[in-house]
């Protein structure tokens, strides 16, 4: 089946009313257009999605260091479900568990235009922010671009696609009151037509930093900007781990400052951000485009079906 045919099916399903027609007829109308492999994938995807637990409200993150207040406009997936999303649905390399992921309500990881936020924690010590106003982020960008060029050469030599850091999608901004830093980078991989967006949030704590990364394509940038403040407000450290509770007599001070958080060089050495640039949503996979439409249809049918 051609790409345009699959997308056409997806568009057709999205326009169908959940109140009209028969769901079985719709499914039968679609299935002949899909290969057996595609139908098996779609069945697996539906089972996988049905098995995931979507949570909102107060979420205590593993380790007891921090928590989330997730509004009804978002949902949280557990570390185990998030691993399935990252590796089995989005095709990233196998890695250690994160602390979970956040998604906008009304979307699934299978939707073609979906995005998610990974959550991690790095306990590298208290990060001083007294030099925040002195950081030249343009200089940092040039250093990062040079590092990415070197990495790209290594990747190409070893048979992988090239990578380039095009620039800021959102310049770094530090909220000294909330102790939260965010920025975004635009990256190009190989000859892909859609560039990758790495939108990053860091929340400073007494002993380390919460690492929140949006995984999306550049077309989702405006949507993410509109959702950024909501995501920023969700994450906070628990009592005993808050930035203002730092005790210089007993607490470790990190060997780096805010600038290193942006470049990622120090965190990459700890393994927390290892392979971050490879953490992508595989937007070129065809099947999930049609599947996303099916899942939206299923969600609407569950909501409106009087049976």
């Amino acid at each position: 089946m051609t790409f345009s045919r699959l997308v056409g099916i997806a568009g057709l399903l999205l326009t169908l009313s959940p109140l009209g027609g028969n769901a079985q007829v719709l499914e039968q109308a679609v299935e002949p257009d899909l290969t057996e492999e595609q139908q098996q994938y779609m069945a697996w995807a539906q089972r996988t999605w049905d098995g995931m637990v979507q949570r909102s409200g107060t979420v205590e993150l593993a380790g007891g260091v921090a928590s989330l207040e997730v509004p009804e406009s978002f949902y949280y997936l557990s570390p185990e479900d998030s691993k399935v999303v990252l590796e089995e649905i989005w095709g990233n390399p196998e890695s250690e568990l994160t602390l979970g992921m956040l998604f906008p309500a009304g979307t699934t990881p299978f939707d073609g235009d979906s995005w998610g936020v990974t959550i991690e924690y790095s306990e590298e010590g208290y990060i001083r922010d007294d030099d925040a106003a002195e950081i030249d982020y343009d200089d940092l960008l040039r250093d990062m671009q040079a590092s990415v060029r070197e990495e790209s050469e290594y990747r190409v030599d070893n048979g992988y696609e090239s990578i380039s850091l095009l620039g800021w999608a959102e310049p770094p901004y530090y909220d000294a009151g909330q102790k939260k830093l965010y920025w975004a980078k635009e990256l190009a991989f190989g000859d892909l037509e859609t560039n990758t967006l790495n939108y990053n949030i860091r929340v400073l704590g007494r002993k380390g930093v919460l690492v929140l990364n949006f995984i999306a394509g550049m077309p989702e940038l405006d949507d993410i900007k509109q959702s950024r403040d909501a995501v920023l407000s969700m994450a906070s450290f628990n009592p005993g781990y808050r930035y203002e509770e730092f005790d210089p007599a007993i607490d470790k001070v990190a060997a780096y400052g805010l600038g290193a958080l942006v470049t990622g060089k120090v965190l990459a050495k700890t393994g927390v951000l290892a392979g971050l640039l490879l953490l992508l949503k595989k937007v070129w996979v065809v099947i999930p485009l049609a599947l996303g439409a099916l899942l939206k249809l299923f969600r609407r049918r569950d909501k409106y079906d009087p049976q």
Side-chain angles (χ1 to χ4, degrees):
M1 180 182 297
T2 65
F3 178 90
S4 60
R5 177 60 177 156
L6 268 175
V7 174
I9 292 173
L12 173 63
L13 288 171
L14 284 173
T15 61
L16 290 172
S17 169
L19 297 176
N22 181 281
Q24 185 177 3
V25 172
L26 291 178
E27 291 165 3
Q28 290 175 346
V30 174
E31 287 180 359
D33 291 307
L34 301 177
T35 67
E36 181 178 353
E37 181 181 5
Q38 289 169 334
Q39 291 183 47
Q40 290 175 350
Y41 178 90
M42 294 175 73
W44 165 82
Q46 185 68 73
R47 291 194 304 270
T48 300
W49 173 243
D50 289 344
M52 292 183 172
V53 178
Q54 305 167 51
R55 295 178 56 191
S56 59
T58 301
V59 175
E60 291 292 338
L61 299 177
V65 173
S67 58
L68 304 173
E69 291 295 334
V70 184
E72 293 296 328
S73 55
F74 283 83
Y75 64 88
Y76 167 85
L77 292 182
S78 70
E80 292 76 18
D81 284 345
S82 299
K83 187 176 179 67
V84 172
V85 170
L86 293 172
E87 297 175 12
E88 298 184 37
I89 300 176
W90 288 356
N92 287 282
E94 185 175 352
S95 61
E96 295 182 1
L97 289 176
T98 66
L99 294 179
M101 292 184 71
L102 293 165
F103 288 89
T107 71
T108 82
F110 295 96
D111 297 339
D113 58 353
S114 67
W115 52 267
V117 183
T118 58
I119 308 165
E120 297 176 275
Y121 174 65
S122 172
E123 189 166 297
E124 290 294 301
Y126 174 88
I127 299 176
R128 297 191 181 279
D129 65 349
D130 46 10
D131 66 340
E134 302 172 7
I135 299 175
D136 188 329
Y137 291 113
D138 289 335
D139 279 347
L140 286 185
L141 177 62
R142 286 188 285 271
D143 290 343
M144 292 161 62
Q145 288 174 321
S147 296
V148 171
R149 282 194 293 270
E150 292 179 6
E151 179 182 343
S152 182
E153 292 176 2
Y154 175 83
R155 287 167 58 88
V156 171
D157 290 343
N158 287 272
Y160 295 96
E161 61 191 352
S162 63
I163 179 175
S164 59
L165 172 57
L166 302 182
W168 299 124
E170 180 87 358
Y173 176 79
Y174 179 60
D175 185 331
Q178 297 293 319
K179 306 302 179 185
K180 296 179 178 180
L181 170 70
Y182 64 80
W183 72 96
K185 297 173 292 188
E186 181 178 1
L187 299 145
F189 283 81
D191 57 358
L192 293 179
E193 294 182 2
T194 301
N195 290 336
T196 293
L197 173 68
N198 275 175
Y199 207 113
N200 308 274
I201 292 176
R202 302 292 181 266
V203 184
L204 306 187
R206 174 181 177 180
K207 298 177 180 293
V209 58
L210 278 175
V211 178
L212 287 79
N213 292 317
F214 292 77
I215 301 176
M218 282 301 297
E220 284 75 62
L221 177 59
D222 288 341
D223 190 19
I224 289 175
K225 284 183 177 181
Q226 294 177 8
S227 302
R228 180 194 60 223
D229 290 345
V231 174
L232 279 166
S233 66
M234 291 185 212
S236 62
F237 283 96
N238 293 334
Y241 295 93
R242 293 171 179 165
Y243 193 84
E244 61 271 17
E245 296 173 315
F246 170 71
D247 185 344
I250 60 174
D251 291 334
K252 173 185 175 181
V253 176
Y256 55 89
L258 293 178
L261 289 181
V262 177
T263 63
K265 291 180 180 178
V266 176
L267 286 179
K269 294 178 182 178
T270 71
V272 174
L273 300 183
L276 172 61
L277 296 181
L278 295 178
L279 204 57
L280 306 173
K281 199 183 107 184
K282 302 298 188 181
V283 294
W284 60 89
V285 175
V286 175
I287 292 176
L289 291 176
L291 178 59
L294 280 173
L295 290 175
K296 288 177 180 177
L297 177 65
F298 293 156
R299 288 200 303 274
R300 291 200 297 268
R301 191 177 67 205
D302 291 342
K303 181 175 181 181
Y304 293 108
D305 191 347
Q307 301 298 323

